[in-house]
């Protein structure tokens, strides 16, 4: 689908990172007098795992909301797939192939896991509401196709056991996984994860990390994630953007960022020798 | 009659209903009775591949394998399965598999893994299924011991273990995996996907066809069919070599014993490395031509069981116990009316249910009432348990509690017991319909001779008697004598009145107490384990002046009780140490002592003191085998401090224990445990007996 741009390269573990998929150019976001994001530019390349980190209130979630189209930047442009993205409603952005999970789980609690994941296919459904309501003709065939995709994802994320369980009955870690499943069901080109490990125990974190790596590896999905857990970020991501007070203070590979004095001072704390 | 296709391979339906399939199967059962005659012995059926060819011919379009994947039951007919297996066998030849090679198979129950076993047999090689949950060190030992050149793995997890083992085990040449997930980045020079192997086989069809046919034709009754490792209750596991004669004859005898036909449905969920699974899911399946269903994953087994509704079902007592515990817990939570109805009809079932099943005379009124009960309670309950269609159910491996056993039988489920071991190709004795009791293990299976020697140990000789322990003539000679009699290592006796065998204990565990009275730990442990609150018990007393016990509580049962009584606990350890829990266990032990006191021979085995352990005994810590049998000597050694404290009469002790987590990491837990005395019945009965 994507034409490999000349600057693509292969990582040490054998994944191919392609050309630029999304580029944020001089983004500024203001809420009245408050400047949440100030003149930030960075890019996300096809096939990579890109992390955005920063202390509380640094503007990470705002940035993710700009990418997802929920906020429209006050200044600056969002480039997606080689073109400036015009002002769009979030559902239009979703149709472009951007899916996300939420920091506070946003699932339909009363619905089964299966139905929740099926909602992720919404942007791909073509038959009209009436034929879906009476479940006849094209709708029937379409549902079969969508179910097949969803079952693949269920198998992939190893949640067969809870397929028919109402989401409200599930523990936190599994809900997070269901949310990831729903985002994956949209077959996104760019997957946005808002603190995927927040509130998890070590084992759940390990599981989630493995799934994120597997998703990236198996489906080639580009992933942008926000995360607090530094260990996780450093292990998972190819490149990291560091934000502080709405500004970008660092950008590069985990190693570069880790050794950047500005980042150490602002976020990791000043070391006392 | 057999051109009924199962649910189409990719036909998702809105409600993945299994009812329609049940109807089909019922039609098959009725129409298929005359086909049982086809299962009579006939010339040339001397190996599993030969049986496969027969089935592909005779039952071509009937379902042979099903696996739940992507939410629906995918199915393969005999013709399709035979074609797949042949392609895999050709692929094996293309890889250079030679007759006599060992092919290790590691993974959960999946049709493709069963196929690789038969395909290996076709190529003249010997399949060796291994326990997939074995820790690295155990797996390394077995891989090294069997000398496997080929290893078939279910998924990445198993491949990783094998690659680790390859550092010390040199002779592994090819690793083949089924599930491609996560495998892309691996070095594929000696690693192949099974799908590629069969594709390779299909491509090399013309070149290798003749060679494969020659190899299949060369298989006879005495060539090796499979090698299975014992669970290793004591010491390292041993490779038991079983010939085609063992497998085919045993499959035939046991199928005829229970009138198994081509329309049975079974659920393959027990470890593939266990001899029972090989006989049920390969031997008997191939002999009868019935369908093997593989669950989606180990966790979904109960749901899948309901959907399939097997007609022939095996489960160790532990599974029946878990199911019963769950039912009882849910009944506790139900409304008063439902609870009353349940209690009323279950009481009636206990009264007459087993008799109706055994065909004994029961009054018309009682029968009518049982029918009502079936309508309101038993039927729906059996459906919930997934046991509605069970015609033959077996349990073995451990003694089953009489109440537990009667519960299932009174519902109208024909649950029976069998006694067997790997070396006998499962069957030594089994219970015929109508002669079922909880305290015996039945009469000798067809073709099996049983004798008891002077010391009380059970010996048998049968067509299923194993060939040898692989590369271990000393052990072979120590177990099997020149006339073919095999020592079971179990002490037992044949009941004069019924001809049924009764097992007392492991022969070497039966000992003497300091004062010379007989000590049979299993006898006591089983009585203890019949209480739902007690998951596991280990009794000590050999050569000592009194018996003591380690107890593991059952977290489900005790946890539920705690919830009901507003007892807060944060961990297994805390619950296990709760004074009220200890009171309950103390009471259970007193009851057991009461019942033991009635037994003339074993009244000395009353448990004087006990301790409730702070952790569950676990196979990962080496305290149990993979088939969940307690390794007595390991437990005794590991917890020697606790044992000493019990005999020293102390009332509390601080201890630290090393535990192994699932991923192999080690940790340690510490606890202060309370030691308690249990009420003892006075020795009057014993004195009178002397």
């Amino acid at each position: 689908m994507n034409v490999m741009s000349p600057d693509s390269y292969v990582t040490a573990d054998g994944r191919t990172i392609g050309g630029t998929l999304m580029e944020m150019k001089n983004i500024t976001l203001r809420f009245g007098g408050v400047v949440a994001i100030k003149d930030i530019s960075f890019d996300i390349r096809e096939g990579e795992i890109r992390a955005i980190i920063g202390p509380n209130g640094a503007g990470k979630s705002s940035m993710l909301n700009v990418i997802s189209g929920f906020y429209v930047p006050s200044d600056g442009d969002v480039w997606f797939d080689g073109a400036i993205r015009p002002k769009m409603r979030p559902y239009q952005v979703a149709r472009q192939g951007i899916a996300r999970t939420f920091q506070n789980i946003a699932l339909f609690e009363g619905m089964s896991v299966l139905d929740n994941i099926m909602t992720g296919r919404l942007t791909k459904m073509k038959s009209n509401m009436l034929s879906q309501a009476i479940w006849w003709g094209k709708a029937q065939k379409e549902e079969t196709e969508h179910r097949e995709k969803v079952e693949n994802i269920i198998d992939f994320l190893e949640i067969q056991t809870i397929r028919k369980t109402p989401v409200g009955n599930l523990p936190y870690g599994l809900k997070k996984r269901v949310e990831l499943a729903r985002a994956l069901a949209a077959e996104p080109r760019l997957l946005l994860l808002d603190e995927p490990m927040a509130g998890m125990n070590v084992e759940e974190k390990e599981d989630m990390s493995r799934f994120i790596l597997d998703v990236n590896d198996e489906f080639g999905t580009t992933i942008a994630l926000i995360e607090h857990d530094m260990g996780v970020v450093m292990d998972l991501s190819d490149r990291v953007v560091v934000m502080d007070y709405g500004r970008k203070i660092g950008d590069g590979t985990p190693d570069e960022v880790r050794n950047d004095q500005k980042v150490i001072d602002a976020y990791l704390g000043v070391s006392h020798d | 009659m057999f051109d009924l296709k199962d649910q189409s391979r990719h036909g998702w339906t809105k409600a993945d209903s299994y009812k329609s399939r049940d109807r089909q199967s019922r039609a098959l059962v009725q129409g298929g009775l005359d086909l049982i005659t086809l299962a009579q012995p006939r010339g040339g059926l001397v190996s599993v591949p030969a049986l496969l060819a027969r089935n592909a011919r005779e039952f071509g379009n009937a379902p042979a394998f099903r696996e739940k994947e992507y939410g629906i039951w995918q199915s393969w007919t005999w013709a399709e399965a035979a074609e797949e297996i042949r392609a895999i066998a050709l692929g094996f030849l293309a890889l250079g598999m030679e007759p006599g090679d060992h092919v290790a198979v590691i993974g959960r129950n999946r049709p493709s893994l069963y196929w690789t076993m038969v395909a290996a047999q076709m190529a003249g090689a010997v399949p060796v299924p291994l326990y997939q949950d074995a820790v690295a060190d155990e797996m390394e030992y077995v891989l090294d011991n069997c000398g496997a050149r080929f290893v078939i793995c279910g998924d990445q997890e198993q491949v990783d273990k094998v690659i680790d083992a390859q550092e010390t085990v040199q002779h592994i040449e090819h690793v083949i995996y089924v599930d491609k997930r996560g495998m892309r980045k691996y070095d594929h020079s000696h690693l192949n996907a099974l799908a590629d192997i069969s594709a390779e086989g299909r491509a090399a069809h013309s070149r290798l066809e003749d060679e494969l046919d020659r190899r299949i034709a060369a298989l006879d009754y005495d060539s090796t069919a499979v090698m299975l490792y014992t669970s290793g209750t004591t010491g390292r596991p041993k490779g038991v070599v079983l010939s085609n004669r063992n497998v085919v004859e045993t499959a035939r005898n046991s199928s005829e014993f229970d009138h198994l036909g081509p329309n049975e449905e079974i659920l393959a969920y027990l470890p593939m490395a266990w001899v029972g699974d090989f006989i049920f899911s390969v031997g008997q399946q191939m002999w009868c031509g019935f369908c093997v269903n593989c669950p989606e994953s180990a966790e979904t087994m109960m749901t899948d069981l309901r959907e399939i509704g097997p007609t022939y079902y095996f489960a160790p007592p532990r599974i029946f116990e878990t199911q019963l515990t769950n039912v009882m817990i849910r009944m506790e939570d139900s409304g008063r009316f439902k609870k009353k109805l349940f209690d009323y009809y279950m009481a009636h079932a206990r009264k007459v249910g087993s008799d109706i099943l055994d065909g004994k005379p029961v009054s018309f009124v009682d029968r009518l009432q049982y029918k009502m009960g079936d309508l309101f309670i038993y039927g729906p309950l059996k459906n919930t348990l997934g046991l509605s269609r069970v015609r033959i159910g077996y349990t073995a491996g451990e003694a089953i509690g009489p109440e537990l056993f009667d519960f299932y039988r009174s519902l109208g489920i024909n649950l029976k017991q069998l006694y067997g071991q790997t070396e006998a190709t499962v069957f030594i004795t089994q219970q015929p319909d109508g002669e079922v009791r909880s305290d015996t293990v039945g009469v000798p299976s067809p073709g099996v001779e049983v004798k008891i020697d002077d010391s009380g140990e059970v010996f048998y000789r049968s067509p299923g008697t194993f060939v040898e322990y692989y590369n271990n003539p000393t052990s072979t000679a120590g177990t099997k004598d020149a006339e073919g009699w095999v020592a079971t290592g179990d002490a037992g006796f044949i009941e004069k009145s019924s001809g049924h065998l009764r097992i007392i204990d492991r022969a070497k565990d039966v000992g003497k107490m300091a004062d010379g009275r007989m000590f049979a730990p299993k006898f006591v442990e089983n009585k203890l384990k019949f209480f739902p609150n007690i998951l596991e018990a280990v009794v000590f007393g050999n050569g000592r002046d009194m018996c003591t016990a380690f107890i593991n509580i059952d977290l489900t049962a005790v946890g539920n009780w705690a919830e009901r009584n507003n007892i807060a606990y944060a961990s297994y350890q805390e619950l296990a140490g709760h004074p009220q829990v200890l009171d309950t266990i103390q009471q259970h032990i007193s009851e057991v002592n009461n019942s033991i006191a009635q037994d003339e021979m074993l009244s000395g085995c009353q448990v004087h003191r006990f301790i409730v352990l702070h952790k569950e005994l676990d196979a990962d810590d080496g305290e149990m085998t993979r088939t969940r049998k307690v390794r007595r000597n390991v437990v005794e050694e590991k917890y020697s401090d606790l044992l000493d404290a019990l005999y020293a009469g102390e009332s509390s002790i601080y201890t630290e224990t090393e535990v192994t987590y699932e991923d192999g990491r080690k940790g340690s837990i510490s606890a202060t445990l309370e030691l308690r005395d249990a009420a003892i019945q006075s020795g009057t009965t014993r004195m009178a007996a002397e």
Side-chain angles (χ1 to χ4, degrees):
Chain A
M1 176 170 64
N2 174 53
V3 185
M4 204 75 78
S5 49
D7 53 350
S8 67
Y9 67 99
V10 178
T11 59
D13 58 357
R15 290 174 308 124
T16 310
I17 304 294
T20 306
L21 176 68
M22 178 169 257
E23 193 163 7
M24 317 301 283
K25 285 190 178 163
N26 306 97
I27 301 286
T28 300
L29 181 68
R30 287 187 211 95
F31 299 106
V34 181
V35 184
I37 302 174
K38 198 169 185 186
D39 193 25
I40 288 189
S41 304
F42 66 93
D43 63 341
I44 300 171
R45 300 170 64 145
E46 188 98 37
E48 79 175 340
I49 300 179
R50 189 76 148 118
I52 303 171
I53 62 171
N56 276 333
K60 306 183 298 287
S61 289
S62 300
M63 190 45 125
L64 207 70
N65 282 324
V66 170
I67 299 176
S68 74
F70 187 69
Y71 293 151
V72 178
S74 318
D75 286 309
D77 298 319
V78 178
W79 289 66
F80 186 68
D81 213 9
I84 289 194
R85 191 168 74 188
K87 196 175 165 183
M88 276 183 174
R89 312 282 308 162
Y91 74 88
Q92 292 170 313
V93 176
R95 286 221 175 118
Q96 277 200 324
I98 298 180
R100 70 169 296 177
T101 66
F102 297 86
Q103 188 175 350
N104 308 311
I105 295 163
L107 291 163
F108 303 100
E109 295 266 314
M111 274 161 48
S112 72
V113 168
L114 183 63
D115 288 339
N116 264 289
I117 303 172
M118 281 296 264
T119 59
R121 301 291 302 170
L122 199 64
T123 53
K124 309 269 176 192
M125 300 231 182
K126 289 182 189 68
S127 56
N128 63 41
M129 205 202 276
L130 180 69
S131 70
Q132 291 207 15
I134 57 174
W135 200 57
W136 188 75
K138 209 170 122 193
Q140 214 169 347
K141 187 165 156 282
E142 207 182 44
E143 172 150 341
T144 309
E145 285 164 16
H146 289 308
R147 175 77 188 270
E148 187 169 350
K149 292 268 192 246
V150 168
E151 284 294 342
N152 270 309
I153 291 163
I154 290 179
D155 186 65
F156 189 83
L157 295 179
E158 294 166 11
I159 46 178
Q160 296 99 328
T161 347
I162 52 165
R163 187 185 280 127
K164 304 259 165 93
T165 316
V167 164
N169 296 351
L170 295 177
Y172 182 77
L174 277 177
K175 281 185 186 171
K176 279 273 188 195
R177 214 189 288 179
V178 175
E179 240 203 349
L180 177 62
R182 181 178 61 182
L184 281 179
E187 295 177 78
R189 294 183 63 191
L190 175 61
L191 176 63
L192 309 176
L193 305 175
D194 197 349
E195 304 217 3
M197 328 272 175
M200 285 189 173
N201 62 31
V202 177
E203 200 182 327
E204 287 171 334
K205 274 182 190 169
E206 280 178 1
D207 279 350
M208 189 50 106
S209 305
R210 189 165 59 86
F211 285 123
I212 291 172
L213 287 172
D214 280 353
V215 165
N216 176 255
D217 189 38
E218 204 72 22
F219 303 131
T221 312
T222 311
I223 296 172
L225 65 94
I226 294 180
E227 185 50 59
H228 265 310
D229 189 317
M230 288 306 287
V232 169
V233 171
M234 296 301 175
D235 284 349
L236 280 182
S237 42
D238 296 305
R239 289 190 300 156
V240 183
V241 177
V242 190
M243 291 176 70
D244 195 18
Y245 295 113
R247 293 164 207 271
K248 183 170 97 170
I249 56 166
D251 189 356
T253 64
D255 280 337
E256 286 167 10
V257 170
R258 202 181 279 131
N259 297 322
D260 186 327
Q261 196 53 48
K262 260 194 295 185
V263 177
I264 296 171
D265 292 350
Y267 186 51
L268 301 176
V270 184
S271 57
H272 306 279
D273 296 310
Chain B
M1 176 178 357
F2 276 110
D3 50 7
L4 282 165
K5 260 231 160 172
D6 247 34
Q7 273 172 306
S8 71
R9 189 77 53 88
H10 297 291
W12 273 269
T13 52
K14 185 144 194 170
D16 11 2
S17 140
Y18 51 92
K19 292 219 172 67
S20 62
R21 205 199 43 253
D22 275 4
R23 268 200 294 281
Q24 287 178 4
S25 308
R26 224 169 287 137
L28 280 175
V29 169
Q30 278 150 16
L33 284 173
D34 55 326
L35 275 164
I36 291 172
T37 47
L38 285 176
Q40 294 303 316
R42 51 165 76 187
L45 297 181
V46 293
S47 66
V48 173
L51 288 169
L52 173 68
R54 193 265 324 249
N55 292 343
R57 232 177 13 252
E58 313 237 347
F59 313 128
N61 290 321
F65 292 94
R66 287 197 203 95
E67 180 183 21
K68 191 163 188 190
E69 216 186 1
Y70 305 125
I72 59 163
W73 289 94
Q74 325 268 350
S75 76
W76 290 266
T77 65
W78 278 107
E80 287 165 345
E83 201 276 332
E84 284 285 343
I85 294 170
R86 200 172 168 85
I88 297 170
L90 288 166
F92 283 166
L93 292 192
L95 266 189
M97 191 179 285
E98 293 296 331
D101 278 349
H102 283 96
V103 181
V105 178
I106 318 165
R108 68 179 171 88
N109 311 67
R110 302 191 67 172
S112 42
L113 289 184
Y114 288 110
W115 298 343
T116 59
M117 292 211 285
V118 182
Q121 291 177 332
M122 281 181 167
V126 179
V128 189
L130 305 183
Y131 286 100
Q132 58 158 337
D133 54 354
V135 292
D137 153 67
E138 283 170 23
M139 191 166 286
E140 227 171 82
Y141 172 79
V142 176
L143 283 172
D144 188 41
N145 186 268
C146 74
R149 277 183 67 207
F150 295 80
V151 183
I152 322 272
C153 297
D155 55 20
Q156 187 188 6
E157 188 186 341
Q158 310 302 338
V159 173
D160 286 346
K161 278 194 232 170
V162 174
I163 289 177
D164 284 347
Q166 264 176 314
E167 280 173 22
T168 49
V169 184
Q170 303 297 331
H171 46 68
I172 300 172
E173 288 175 32
H174 294 279
V175 179
I176 297 163
Y177 57 87
V178 178
D179 196 341
K180 290 189 174 181
R181 174 168 173 197
M183 295 300 305
R184 239 166 358 104
K185 283 182 285 183
Y186 284 66
D187 168 19
H188 272 70
S189 49
H190 295 283
L191 189 62
N192 286 289
L194 186 64
D196 297 339
I197 297 291
S198 54
E200 173 91 24
R202 287 190 178 96
H205 161 81
S206 52
R207 182 163 59 88
L208 297 167
E209 195 88 322
D210 291 341
E211 171 65 16
L212 184 62
D213 285 333
R214 256 198 306 281
R215 298 244 184 124
I216 297 172
L219 296 174
D220 62 24
Y221 239 23
D222 291 311
S223 44
T224 303
V226 68
M227 189 160 107
L228 299 156
Y229 276 84
T230 58
S231 54
T233 321
T234 50
R236 288 292 199 177
K238 291 180 286 225
V240 178
V241 177
L242 297 179
S243 66
N244 280 314
R245 182 195 308 279
N246 296 151
V247 173
V248 176
E249 293 247 326
T250 304
R252 186 189 68 204
N253 288 340
S254 53
S255 302
E256 284 171 359
F257 185 87
D258 282 315
H259 312 290
L260 301 178
N263 300 317
E264 311 297 343
E265 297 280 350
I266 68 166
L267 190 72
Y269 68 99
L270 290 159
M272 287 181 71
W274 176 60
V275 66
D277 188 63
F278 188 81
I279 291 305
F280 302 140
S281 307
V282 179
Q284 292 183 334
Q285 181 216 18
M286 290 290 170
W287 181 265
C288 302
F290 60 65
C291 183
V292 168
N293 302 282
C294 299
E296 192 165 20
S297 70
E299 294 80 37
T300 58
M301 180 251 162
M302 283 297 168
T303 330
D304 298 335
L305 178 72
R306 273 195 70 187
E307 290 181 3
I308 284 300
T311 60
Y312 177 46
Y313 178 61
F314 180 95
R318 186 179 287 264
I319 291 201
F320 287 114
E321 211 174 305
T322 315
Q323 277 192 318
L324 175 61
T325 311
N326 287 339
V327 168
M328 288 309 177
I329 289 172
R330 283 169 66 179
M331 281 320 297
E332 288 292 324
D333 289 334
S334 66
R336 199 184 298 167
F337 175 71
K338 285 184 188 167
K339 180 91 172 63
K340 271 229 147 69
L341 200 67
F342 177 80
D343 289 342
Y344 176 78
Y345 280 112
M346 283 317 295
H348 185 66
R350 264 193 294 281
K351 202 173 97 194
V352 298
S354 306
D355 289 348
I356 292 177
L357 194 62
D358 287 339
K360 289 182 188 152
V362 172
S363 81
F364 177 74
V365 178
D366 278 347
R367 272 178 198 277
L368 198 67
Q369 213 170 11
Y370 189 81
K371 274 251 182 293
M372 295 290 287
D374 197 39
L375 189 68
F376 293 129
I377 300 291
Y378 320 143
L381 181 56
K382 279 191 285 184
N383 188 25
T384 308
L385 296 170
L387 303 176
S388 292
R389 300 201 302 165
V390 171
R391 202 166 58 75
I392 311 281
Y394 271 114
T395 182
E398 292 274 333
I400 186 164
E403 275 172 33
L404 181 64
F405 195 62
D406 290 342
F407 171 80
Y408 286 97
R409 286 195 59 85
S410 68
L411 289 176
I413 297 164
N414 188 16
L415 181 61
K416 310 197 284 183
Q417 293 199 76
L418 66 79
Y419 169 65
Q421 56 177 206
T422 312
E423 288 85 344
T425 326
V426 183
F427 297 95
I428 299 174
T429 64
Q430 58 198 125
Q431 295 178 323
D433 289 343
E435 295 180 36
V436 181
R437 283 164 45 192
S438 65
D439 57 350
T440 78
V441 291
V443 298
S445 302
V448 181
E449 301 166 76
V450 172
K451 71 172 185 188
I452 314 287
D453 80 348
D454 300 336
S455 68
E457 189 172 350
V458 181
F459 285 74
Y460 65 90
R461 183 162 68 175
S462 76
T465 303
F466 74 118
V467 180
E468 59 173 359
Y469 290 121
Y470 183 67
N471 275 352
N472 195 344
T474 334
S475 287
T476 311
T479 311
K480 189 166 93 164
D481 70 13
E483 290 168 25
W485 287 99
V486 182
T488 58
D490 287 324
F493 62 94
I494 290 182
E495 209 177 62
K496 292 240 163 45
S497 53
S498 62
H500 280 231
L501 180 68
R502 279 183 71 171
I503 299 293
I504 307 175
D505 202 340
R506 298 283 304 165
K508 63 172 184 342
D509 289 342
V510 177
K512 289 222 172 352
M513 303 193 52
D515 58 1
R517 285 176 295 171
M518 187 181 186
F519 170 69
K522 201 63 161 285
F523 175 80
V524 185
E525 287 161 13
N526 285 335
K527 279 187 187 293
L528 287 169
K529 275 159 45 176
F530 294 156
F531 290 100
N533 288 334
I534 299 180
L535 182 72
E536 206 57 72
V538 192
V539 173
F540 303 94
N542 197 15
R544 302 187 190 250
D545 53 2
M546 64 173 185
C547 284
T548 56
F550 287 171
I551 305 287
N552 261 176
I553 56 165
D554 186 326
L555 189 59
T556 327
V558 181
N560 185 53
W561 165 86
E563 197 176 304
R564 221 160 277 289
N565 292 282
N566 286 328
I567 290 170
Y569 63 97
S571 64
Y572 179 88
Q573 190 183 332
E574 194 180 329
L575 186 63
H578 196 279
Q580 272 179 276
V581 173
L582 295 181
D583 288 344
T584 314
I585 301 292
Q586 197 167 15
Q587 208 177 331
H588 289 338
I589 292 181
S590 309
E591 281 175 48
V592 166
N593 284 344
N594 252 338
S595 118
I596 294 173
Q598 312 299 320
D599 193 300
E600 289 179 16
M601 258 160 50
L602 297 163
S603 61
C605 298
Q606 293 185 49
V607 177
H608 289 240
R609 306 202 75 212
F610 72 96
I611 194 163
V612 175
L613 290 181
H614 50 300
K615 76 174 270 290
E616 272 188 77
L617 298 178
D618 197 337
D620 287 340
D621 292 326
E623 295 157 345
M624 291 182 136
T625 66
R626 290 286 151 196
T627 47
R628 302 198 63 90
K629 289 185 186 138
V630 173
R631 285 193 170 120
R632 195 173 297 279
N633 44 0
V634 175
V635 174
E636 182 165 358
E637 205 170 293
K638 184 165 176 180
Y639 298 102
S640 55
D641 53 337
L642 302 184
L643 198 59
D644 292 344
L646 275 174
Y647 282 102
E650 286 166 33
S651 62
S652 88
I653 180 173
Y654 172 81
T655 184
E656 264 178 47
T657 315
E658 186 181 75
V659 290
T660 313
Y661 298 110
E662 239 171 62
D663 57 4
R665 281 180 300 190
K666 302 225 185 262
S668 111
I669 50 174
S670 57
T672 304
L673 301 176
E674 195 182 331
L675 288 70
R676 287 204 181 187
D677 295 323
I680 301 294
Q681 288 301 304
S682 64
T684 46
T685 21
R686 181 176 58 85
M687 295 314 228
E690 280 170 2

